[in-house]
Amino acid sequence: MLSARIRIAARFVAVAALAALTAGCFQPMYAERTLDGSPGLREKLLGVEVPPVDKPNASREARVGVEVRNALAFKLYGTATGMPPTHRLVLRFFTSRSSLMIDPTTALPTSENYGIDAQFNLVEIASNKSVMTGTTFSRVSYDMPGSYQRFARQRALRDAEDRAAQEIADNIQTRLASFFSSGT
């Protein structure tokens, strides 16, 4: 009985010692400063300028472009302002809609998919050189209630556009964080 307790205590001490040895090796990704004193990830993300997306005014895609840009700007900056930009993020995207289910009596869709395929290019402002490019996509489904509820159909589509825009912004913000923290 005593030797079992000693073995458990020895294992606990070994685990605690290992945890203490590795505790100084890790650093939070969004820390204010890095271990070598260079700017942290948060400050690097503050230096990314997100210009407006080039889409025709008053179009449905222009509204989606504003949603993507606003969501991305909030994820990168939060409420911070005043940081001079070091990089520019150029966005291009294409949208799509496809019917998943069709009501056999009215021949109107009852469920659809809304998709955004986005391309982005991170350009260093000082050299005007592209430092990272990538693509991402989002597919969200939505139900359209009733064949005579036009407002509900339009609202369902708009909600799907907003959800897809948020997902695109999440994906791009994650890729930018990866680039700035590891250089890839």
Side-chain angles (χ1 to χ4, degrees), residues 93 114 122:
F93 69 89
Y114 180 80
L122 186 66

Side-chain angles (χ1 to χ4, degrees), residues 5 14 27 36 40-41 43 51 56 59 70 86 109 118 123 127 149 156 160 179:
R5 287 185 180 173
Q27 176 181 340
D36 62 359
L41 177 61
E43 288 180 7
S59 68
N70 288 347
T86 58
V123 177
S127 64
Q149 298 180 10
F179 172 77

Side-chain angles (χ1 to χ4, degrees), residues 150-169:
R150 289 185 300 187
F151 178 77
R153 288 177 168 280
Q154 290 301 315
R155 189 64 216 187
L157 174 59
R158 185 174 178 151
D159 289 345
E161 290 170 345
D162 293 345
R163 286 182 297 149
Q166 284 291 329
E167 194 171 317
I168 292 293

Side-chain angles (χ1 to χ4, degrees), residues 50-56 61-62 64-66 68-69 72 88-95 115-123 130 132-138 168-169 172 175:
V50 185
V53 179
D54 186 27
K55 293 291 180 184
E61 283 192 332
V64 173
V66 169
V68 171
R69 182 177 181 261
L72 190 56
R88 181 182 323 105
L89 183 69
V90 180
L91 295 171
R92 280 185 228 94
F93 69 89
F94 306 98
T95 61
I116 299 176
D117 295 301
Q119 302 168 346
F120 56 94
N121 184 16
L122 186 66
V123 177
S130 175
M132 180 186 78
T133 61
T135 60
T136 186
F137 68 94
S138 173
I168 292 293
I172 293 174
R175 301 236 183 116

